Amino acid sequence: MAIPENKEALQKAILTHYKKLKVTLSEIKEEDAWRFELPGHAKGTLMSIHNLIAYLTGWGQLVLKWNRKKDNNEEFEWPETGYKWNELGKLAQKFYKDYAYCDYRTLKEKLDETVQNILQLTESKSNEELYEVLWYGKWTLGRMIQFNTSSPYQNARTRIRKWQKEKKLI
C-alpha cells in the first residue's frame, strides 16, 4: 500500500492495517502474549506481543496528546516529556511499563479505543489540516499520524506472523 497522501488514503491505511493486525492478535493466546520472544525496540532486547501492543498504544496516545496540546497552544516536549528522538528504545520501555498492569484482552481493548480516537481525530480534520500544512518540522499531521499508526500496525503484524511461523502456530 502506498504512503497516504490525503485524508481518505490515511483513514483507509489505518483501517486496513489495523483490521489485519486485529485478526492476527485474536489468534494469540493470553499465555503466548507474555512470552519474550520477539526482537525488542531497543537493541539487544526481547519483547512480548503484550509489549508490542503496549508500544502501539503508547504511540497512538502520544499522537492524540500532541494534537490536543497543539490545538490548545500548549507547550510540550517531542516526542514525550523526558525523552529525546534518539531515545526511542527507552520510550518503548516506558510504554511497556505503562501498560504492564493490563491483561491481554484489556490491552487489546485499549489499542482498539486508541485507534478509534485516532480515526475520530482524522475525521475531525480537513485534508488541508492533515496534508497541506507543515505540522512538525518538515512533516504534516497526516504523515505524523501515519508514522505512528498504519506503518507500525503493518510492521507489528509482520513481526507476529514471523514469530507464529517460527513457533509453528500457523
Side-chain angles (χ1 to χ4, degrees):
M1 184 174 274
I3 295 171
E5 295 184 9
N6 60 50
K7 178 178 176 170
E8 182 181 327
L10 175 62
Q11 291 171 324
K12 181 179 178 183
I14 293 168
L15 283 169
T16 298
H17 293 300
Y18 186 62
K19 283 179 182 178
K20 288 178 182 179
L21 174 61
K22 193 171 176 175
V23 168
T24 299
L25 292 175
S26 73
E27 298 168 355
I28 307 298
K29 296 177 189 171
E30 171 87 27
E31 61 270 15
D32 290 337
W34 292 92
R35 293 165 60 178
F36 287 81
E37 297 179 340
L38 299 174
H41 291 103
K43 187 176 180 178
T45 65
L46 292 175
M47 69 175 168
S48 65
I49 291 170
H50 188 279
N51 290 150
L52 184 54
I53 300 169
Y55 175 85
L56 297 173
T57 303
W59 276 106
Q61 288 298 315
L62 271 184
V63 167
L64 295 167
K65 175 183 170 180
W66 296 336
N67 186 73
R68 188 174 54 253
K69 296 274 189 182
K70 280 193 76 115
D71 280 356
N72 293 326
N73 294 314
E74 296 175 27
E75 293 289 321
F76 62 99
E77 292 179 41
W78 296 91
E80 173 63 303
T81 304
Y83 296 89
K84 295 183 180 2
W85 286 110
N86 64 351
E87 298 177 314
L88 297 183
K90 289 181 184 177
L91 184 54
Q93 298 291 323
K94 175 195 179 302
F95 295 147
Y96 304 163
K97 289 177 190 159
D98 287 348
Y99 296 99
Y101 69 92
C102 293
D103 62 40
Y104 185 58
R105 181 188 51 77
T106 301
L107 185 55
K108 289 189 301 182
E109 289 170 358
K110 287 187 179 300
L111 181 57
D112 279 341
E113 182 180 317
T114 299
V115 171
Q116 290 309 310
N117 289 336
I118 288 170
L119 288 168
Q120 288 172 0
L121 167 63
T122 63
E123 188 58 35
S124 74
K125 300 291 184 179
S126 67
N127 192 68
E128 180 181 354
E129 290 171 302
L130 288 167
Y131 282 98
E132 297 174 24
V133 177
L134 293 180
W135 193 76
Y136 173 72
K138 65 181 182 176
W139 306 111
T140 64
L141 174 57
R143 194 75 161 113
M144 289 295 287
I145 292 171
Q146 181 258 321
F147 284 148
N148 294 289
T149 58
S150 63
S151 291
Y153 301 159
Q154 184 178 23
N155 178 275
R157 182 172 182 267
T158 299
R159 285 174 176 237
I160 294 168
R161 299 291 288 172
K162 180 180 177 190
W163 172 82
Q164 287 175 309
K165 287 175 185 173
E166 287 172 357
K167 298 297 175 184
K168 301 189 184 335
L169 299 173
I170 56 170

